[in-house]
Amino acid sequence: MNNMNTTKVWFITGAGRGMGTHFAKAALNAGHKVVAAGRNPDAVAKAIGEAENVLVVRLDVTRPADAESAVKAAIDRFGTIDVLVNNAAHFYGGYFEELTPDQIECQLQVALIGPMNVTRAVLPVMRKQRAGHIISIASGAGMSGFEFNSAYCASKFALEGWMESLAPEAAPFGIHTTIVNPGFFRTEFLTEASSTYAKPTIADYADRRAGYMAFFNEQNGQQPGDPNKLAKALLMIASEAEPPRRFIAGADAVGIAEQKIVDLQAQIDAYRDLSMSMAYED
């Protein structure tokens, strides 16, 4: 049975800032080996620091060739990959009508296609060793849709659908999957480096847009979640023989999940008779 003292090789995307840096440092402090991946290797190395158990690799998750090269470098250095953390992220905020097609495509590329690219490169390694754990960082916005978050929610809902489908595909090979739904955690996520907003183009949205922009600006640096605690939680989850398919992180995220259950049950009950009457009469 696994335990937290068992040395593993962690492959973490988006390790140059935010949660990725916290995850990498926590894994190193626990005695694990870490492949710290990011688009800017110098920034990753500066954030993580130099250590014998660290391999910094260049990785733009939207580029399949980068993923393949990074995984090869990890295998050449450490011989295996035990835990993959799909963490790299960017937030495109705004009303759907004002978000451009290019912005929506970029959101999907980073938050959905990117994790797919990296996982596709890692799966042959985990299949061969008949063991592994794929952790994908979703969001409270992957469980419930929110105004001003249409592109982001779309990407996280899709990420969850893919991960839930991947779970039974990978399980026969001893590969576990976990979706992580964080609430608001105090990282650089709401800074200019990690967030892009739609350009205001439609007057009808002006008042509500201003309210949401003020909310995000107020939240930046004041989020209630402690990323160090989330990093420790991931270490614990990854040490379990049967890790959870889903981990909801933070009281705010738990509140979102519980409200989703209430709302969904109410919607089922409201039209239950009609829903159940859809079969052919014969």
Side-chain angles (χ1 to χ4, degrees), residues 73 86 212 263:
N86 286 313
Y212 276 100
D263 291 345

Side-chain angles (χ1 to χ4, degrees), residues 90-102:
H90 193 90
F91 172 62
Y92 286 83
Y95 285 95
F96 174 71
E97 268 194 285
E98 294 186 321
L99 286 161
T100 67
D102 284 346

